[in-house]
Amino acid sequence: MLKIDGLNVNYGAIHALHDISIHVKKGEIVTLIGANGAGKTSILRAISGLIPIKSGSVLFEGKPIHTTAAYKLSKLGIAHVPEGRRIFANMSVMENLELGAYIRKDKRDIAKDYEMVFDKFPRLKERIKQMAGTLSGGEQQMLAMGRALMVRPRILLLDEPSMGLAPLVVRNIFSIIEEINKSGTTVLLVEQNAHMALSIAHKAYVLETGKIVLEGSAKELLTNDSVRSAYLGE
């Protein structure tokens, strides 16, 4: 579904991503793990057209998207939940969700999808008229994910969904990511909580200073000695 080949990204004189190649099959959860500054967020931002690439290609279902304007990608079925959530703080929960469905015209299906989001995130329904900026961190993460689901994505790019959240909330968020995947949405997940990410993913890539240093099935990497010592605290 998503194929990244030989991706290079520069920030000024800094070569941030070095020949990155990642393949995501339809129906998979693929996770990118690594320390802060390893290049994980840059990969998602390059896929979404939020930063220019120096060389390489990004293909979605066989078609190049690395020259496509960022705002056009949601029409293809690509939704990005950014690091830090980026909800619209001065708008209500419902208004944030409505913006997720902004490009859609199928009113009956939109109504069904609001119910689907509220079914997955009942807390949002309780706070439907509340200003998004007054929600807790966990609720804001739920809203950011709900807003992305209103795009009806075929692939969901998730950047650090557990950041700053209590362990109980993290477990809830990850169980919902699994639900979303089982309902047919492919997921590319960037996550510092390597243990949680590997526990739900099918495949994983390990990044260090802008390079992929390991890749394999999530089960393999969970038992890999270097991954266990560097990222799992074992």
Side-chain angles (χ1 to χ4, degrees), residues 185-203:
T185 304
T186 304
V187 177
L188 180 58
L189 169 67
V190 159
E191 181 54 61
Q192 266 197 293
N193 187 332
H195 197 281
M196 287 296 290
L198 292 172
S199 71
I200 67 165
H202 301 97
K203 192 167 67 182

Side-chain angles (χ1 to χ4, degrees), residues 162-208:
S162 78
M163 182 181 285
L165 303 183
L168 192 63
V169 179
V170 171
R171 284 195 290 275
N172 185 31
I173 292 288
F174 272 80
S175 70
I176 292 166
I177 294 169
E178 282 190 290
E179 273 180 42
I180 291 166
N181 176 247
K182 285 172 183 170
S183 67
T185 304
T186 304
V187 177
L188 180 58
L189 169 67
V190 159
E191 181 54 61
Q192 266 197 293
N193 187 332
H195 197 281
M196 287 296 290
L198 292 172
S199 71
I200 67 165
H202 301 97
K203 192 167 67 182
Y205 294 85
V206 180
L207 277 93
E208 287 179 10

Side-chain angles (χ1 to χ4, degrees), residues 30-91:
V30 174
T31 188
L32 312 178
I33 62 173
N36 265 341
K40 308 183 299 296
T41 290
S42 294
I43 291 172
L44 294 196
R45 289 174 63 81
I47 295 167
S48 292
L50 298 174
I51 54 172
I53 68 173
K54 185 183 180 187
S55 61
S57 61
V58 181
L59 305 180
F60 181 63
E61 296 185 325
K63 296 174 183 175
I65 60 168
H66 49 277
T67 56
T68 303
Y71 71 91
K72 293 181 178 178
L73 294 180
S74 60
K75 289 185 178 180
L76 301 178
I78 301 169
H80 186 163
V81 180
E83 183 180 12
R85 292 133 207 171
R86 302 292 181 93
I87 48 116
F88 297 98
N90 295 323
M91 300 175 81

Side-chain angles (χ1 to χ4, degrees), residues 106-174:
D106 49 333
K107 289 186 179 178
R108 188 175 296 175
D109 286 336
I110 288 171
K112 287 180 185 174
D113 286 347
Y114 287 135
E115 289 310 309
M116 174 270 293
V117 168
F118 293 139
D119 184 53
K120 284 185 168 38
F121 304 108
R123 195 73 63 82
L124 296 182
K125 191 166 189 177
E126 294 169 11
R127 288 158 171 66
I128 194 166
K129 294 181 180 178
Q130 193 169 321
M131 290 295 105
T134 66
L135 299 175
S136 70
E139 289 162 351
Q140 290 187 17
Q141 184 62 51
M142 292 172 190
L143 180 57
M145 290 169 66
R147 182 181 59 187
L149 289 177
M150 289 306 301
V151 175
R152 276 216 170 170
R154 299 172 62 206
I155 186 166
L156 185 61
L157 312 179
L158 281 170
D159 196 353
E160 301 284 9
S162 78
M163 182 181 285
L165 303 183
L168 192 63
V169 179
V170 171
R171 284 195 290 275
N172 185 31
I173 292 288
F174 272 80

Side-chain angles (χ1 to χ4, degrees), residues 211-225:
K211 299 174 185 173
I212 292 172
V213 294
L214 270 176
E215 63 181 272
S217 77
K219 284 183 180 176
E220 287 170 354
L221 294 187
L222 263 174
T223 57
N224 180 288
D225 288 342

